[in-house]
Amino acid sequence: MPNNIVMTITQRSAYTLLALLLAACGNGAPQEDRRGGIDTGKIHRWKMVTTWPANFPVFQEAPEMFAKNIRVMSNGRLDITVFAGGELVPALQVFDAVSQGAVEMGHGSAYYWAGKVPAAQFFSTVPFGMEQKGVEAWLYHGGGLELWNELYEPFNVIALPVGNSGVQMGGWFNKKIETIDDLKGLRMRIPGLGGKVLDRAGGNPILMSGGELYTALERGTIDATEWVGPLHDLRLGLNRAATYYYYPGWHEPGAELELLINRARWDSLPADLQQIVKQAAAATGAWTFSAMEYHNSRALKELSGKKNVQVLPFPQDVLQALRSVTRQTLESEAEKDPEFKRVYESYLAFQDSYQPWHRLTSKALETE
Ligand code: CA
């Protein structure tokens, strides 16, 4: 009798083993996912394009790390190949490539699509807007993320926050800025809404890619330029092309980075892979912001120690004047575009309600 029992167990084990082997060899039926009948054995090979140059510190490292982490977490089931700007599609066509399904994912910042979706700028950064903490509080908890995705819905694109640049620097100037009148006629490379504000303040905003900045500033084609912060500015050698390094970056108090996903391809992912992507995006966001803070603080020390570099604050009355011109600029943009108005109102309402808390905490701690 004990032998019979042993035989039965052995037979059952053999059948189970055979069934497992057949499934592993792909001879069995596709494995069903309990949450929607999606094949969980399938390998999804995706492409991700970014708006950043190859080897661009932090911003291009982040999507590469994101893809690598997802490969490990999904046991190779979601395999994302990352392409820097220009490798597969030009940097400024990332949104279209994702929207049209030419690639599944993109990494960039929403203000690059201002020509197509002006309201997208609020999901990147706006002059005198919120820093990373406030922006992400609005996105994750204050309805911002829902608004962002409503905005991109007609384009078949899903957006997720994936990091933040931190407060940027005001830029490199070859003359001192002492009053708002010093901005009049100033030829400065400054894109987006910041450029519109400078224009309204009497300056001359110029659009120019990062690769052209050093030469343009050094030769005097432009009088000033903003770029990012100490880490990236030092890499471009901007300290050798201008003397005055102004702060703060009133025009970019913290550019939020975005992960773009083609909606149809997202819908084809099993629920567990979707969750892996969401959690990896959040983790990459934390890594990106902390990496920016770390490297910028070290690069600032290096820059401050250099001869011919003067790190200076914009005078308070210049900042106050720019803040007032910013309000006029945003109101005027909102009049032109109902979507811009709708997002602006949500952003502003949150910013106004967040400000008292910010004043009582971060700001109150700032004593010398
Ligand atoms: Ca910038």
Side-chain angles (χ1 to χ4, degrees):
M1 199 168 97
N3 271 354
N4 280 348
I5 291 169
V6 170
M7 288 280 286
T8 310
I9 290 170
T10 311
Q11 274 171 345
R12 275 187 194 156
S13 303
Y15 283 129
T16 310
L17 188 64
L18 183 65
L20 284 172
L21 279 171
L22 284 172
C25 294
N27 292 334
Q31 296 167 50
E32 294 289 303
D33 183 285
R34 278 171 301 173
R35 290 150 300 201
I38 300 166
D39 184 357
T40 54
K42 186 177 170 186
I43 293 175
H44 301 259
R45 294 192 200 284
W46 281 21
K47 292 189 186 78
M48 179 198 249
V49 290
T50 82
T51 57
W52 320 113
N55 305 317
F56 196 57
V58 185
F59 291 177
Q60 181 63 20
E61 290 173 77
E64 283 163 9
M65 192 187 70
F66 168 82
K68 200 170 143 194
N69 288 341
I70 286 181
R71 207 171 293 129
V72 174
M73 285 191 279
S74 69
N75 198 22
R77 288 165 52 226
L78 182 52
D79 191 339
I80 305 166
T81 308
V82 182
F83 299 88
E87 285 181 353
L88 199 60
V89 300
L92 295 182
Q93 282 172 29
V94 163
F95 187 89
D96 288 342
V98 176
S99 171
Q100 290 155 11
V103 296
E104 289 82 3
M105 274 181 169
H107 185 284
S109 196
Y111 54 16
Y112 291 133
W113 329 125
K116 188 186 288 287
V117 192
Q121 294 172 100
F122 289 100
F123 303 105
S124 182
T125 191
V126 292
F128 295 100
M130 292 180 279
E131 293 170 40
Q132 177 258 0
K133 289 189 299 177
V135 167
E136 291 183 2
W138 174 61
L139 288 175
Y140 285 118
H141 306 282
L145 189 52
E146 287 78 7
L147 269 179
W148 195 355
N149 279 289
E150 275 174 37
L151 204 63
Y152 284 179
E153 202 170 356
F155 302 96
N156 197 31
V157 169
I158 289 170
L160 283 174
V162 71
N164 193 287
S165 71
V167 182
Q168 300 200 3
M169 285 294 281
W172 296 89
F173 294 72
N174 57 25
K175 67 168 194 171
K176 279 194 177 175
I177 303 300
E178 279 157 349
T179 73
I180 190 78
D181 286 340
D182 291 328
L183 297 178
K184 292 206 162 50
L186 186 86
R187 294 165 303 165
M188 179 174 183
R189 183 270 184 186
I190 175 169
L193 285 166
K196 288 202 158 118
V197 172
L198 179 69
D199 186 45
R200 202 174 262 261
N204 185 8
I206 288 162
L207 278 180
M208 197 174 272
S209 74
E212 300 169 89
L213 296 185
Y214 174 83
T215 312
L217 191 58
E218 202 253 339
R219 290 188 183 163
T221 316
I222 52 175
D223 307 310
T225 185
E226 70 83 51
W227 182 226
V228 188
L231 169 69
H232 295 90
D233 295 9
L234 191 60
R235 293 279 178 113
L236 279 194
L238 296 176
N239 53 298
R240 288 184 276 110
T243 301
Y244 308 112
Y245 195 24
Y246 273 95
Y247 66 91
W250 58 272
H251 63 297
E252 290 198 57
E256 188 71 15
L257 305 180
E258 68 177 1
L259 179 69
L260 301 171
I261 310 167
N262 178 276
R263 184 175 291 275
R265 299 307 300 270
W266 174 253
D267 290 343
S268 78
L269 279 190
D272 63 333
L273 292 185
Q274 288 184 344
Q275 196 54 237
I276 286 174
V277 169
K278 283 185 188 171
Q279 299 307 322
T284 305
W287 181 86
T288 301
F289 177 65
S290 56
M292 288 297 286
E293 292 293 287
Y294 177 78
H295 292 296
N296 273 332
S297 63
R298 290 167 69 94
L300 173 65
K301 197 174 172 196
E302 190 181 336
L303 271 176
S304 306
K306 286 191 186 295
K307 281 183 205 159
N308 307 323
V309 172
Q310 286 187 42
V311 183
L312 298 171
F314 284 118
Q316 275 304 310
D317 56 351
V318 169
L319 286 176
Q320 269 159 15
L322 284 170
R323 184 187 284 275
S324 136
V325 176
T326 292
R327 187 59 81 109
Q328 294 162 18
T329 306
L330 293 175
E331 301 286 344
S332 142
E333 294 298 305
E335 272 171 33
K336 288 189 237 162
D337 178 15
E339 266 186 345
F340 189 99
K341 186 168 193 283
R342 190 160 152 258
V343 182
Y344 176 44
E345 280 169 358
S346 168
Y347 185 97
L348 201 61
F350 183 77
Q351 187 176 10
D352 286 349
S353 67
Y354 177 69
Q355 239 7 68
W357 174 242
H358 177 70
R359 263 186 230 115
L360 251 71
T361 52
S362 305
K363 237 182 157 183
L365 281 167
E366 285 164 11
T367 51
E368 291 297 325

